Amino acid sequence: GAVVSQHPSWVICKSGTSVKIECRSLDFQATTMFWYRQFPKQSLMLMATSNEGSKATYEQGVEKDKFLINHASLTLSTLTVTSAHPEDSSFYICSARKSGHSGSGSYNEQFFGPGTRLTVL
Amino acid sequence: GENVEQHPSTLSVQEGDSAVIKCTYSDSASNYFPWYKQELGKRPQLIIDIRSNVGEKKDQRIAVTLNKTAKHFSLHITETQPEDSAVYFCAASINTGTASKLTFGTGTRLQVTL
């Protein structure tokens, strides 16, 4: 299997505080993880690509100093929303990439975590 | 970068009918096209995917077709059931090496009515 967990599943915080979200691949190693943000009734928007042992790659328009990503091990990536404001309220979803080989060749498949609902008051 | 468009945004079908969702992509280098089903407040679940070396793939009631020349791919659900009701997202990526970040379509809300 390929299981990805996220913690916490939901968090409510006051404006100006920082929130850390953890993403773990439970039964495989992931050198690459992805962080997405999803607003109500909208699609998943990629925020950044998290690479184990190196700096994250951020998508255009995503502030790297506001959304701190750390990928210190092959099974854990963290996203810290610094100085959170109400407009940061969203559903944050991570995914972990699993690579391998099958009968049809090599593959890279993303497995998603259950998401973290952040509400900033 | 890649741009994925998805239509329709909402789709209502009667139980037992078929549903078709269509996506187009812009980057001809994209070679991996997964489809995800997302229920309210939950994670996206991969339901089927297709790689650019095939034109069609089927898994029970679900099938996906790919037209590389036209850069579009479609999801077909036959004999729809109420539990098929969800939001469906298509995605595209260049699935090689260290790349393979997914670009998602805007989603289709499928409602299967009794």
Side-chain angles (χ1 to χ4, degrees), chain A residues 3 9 16 30 32 35-36 38 43 46 48 62 72 98 109 117 121:
Chain A
V3 181
S9 57
T32 303
W35 287 97
Y36 297 85
Q38 186 177 33
S43 186
L46 180 65
V62 177
K98 183 178 183 181
E109 187 174 341
R117 185 161 302 283
L121 302 176

Side-chain angles (χ1 to χ4, degrees), chain B residues 23-94:
Chain B
C23 289
T24 60
Y25 61 100
S26 60
D27 191 340
S28 56
S30 289
N31 59 2
Y32 176 63
F33 308 93
W35 285 88
Y36 293 89
K37 174 183 180 182
Q38 187 181 31
E39 297 178 354
L40 187 63
K42 298 194 175 178
R43 77 184 85 194
Q45 297 274 12
L46 178 69
I47 57 172
I48 196 168
D49 57 14
I50 191 168
R51 290 174 170 78
S52 58
N53 57 346
V54 297
E56 185 174 359
K57 184 177 178 180
K58 188 174 182 180
D59 182 5
Q60 300 182 355
R61 297 187 296 109
I62 297 172
V64 57
T65 59
L66 171 65
N67 183 326
K68 287 188 295 182
T69 303
K71 289 188 283 189
H72 66 70
F73 56 113
S74 300
L75 176 71
H76 304 252
I77 305 174
T78 59
E79 301 173 32
T80 54
Q81 302 166 0
E83 51 265 38
D84 293 330
S85 297
V87 179
Y88 291 81
F89 292 99
C90 62
S93 78
I94 302 170

Side-chain angles (χ1 to χ4, degrees), chain A residues 61-72:
Chain A
V62 177
E63 299 175 57
K64 63 179 181 180
D65 294 329
K66 179 171 181 62
F67 299 99
L68 301 179
I69 291 173
N70 185 280
H71 193 156

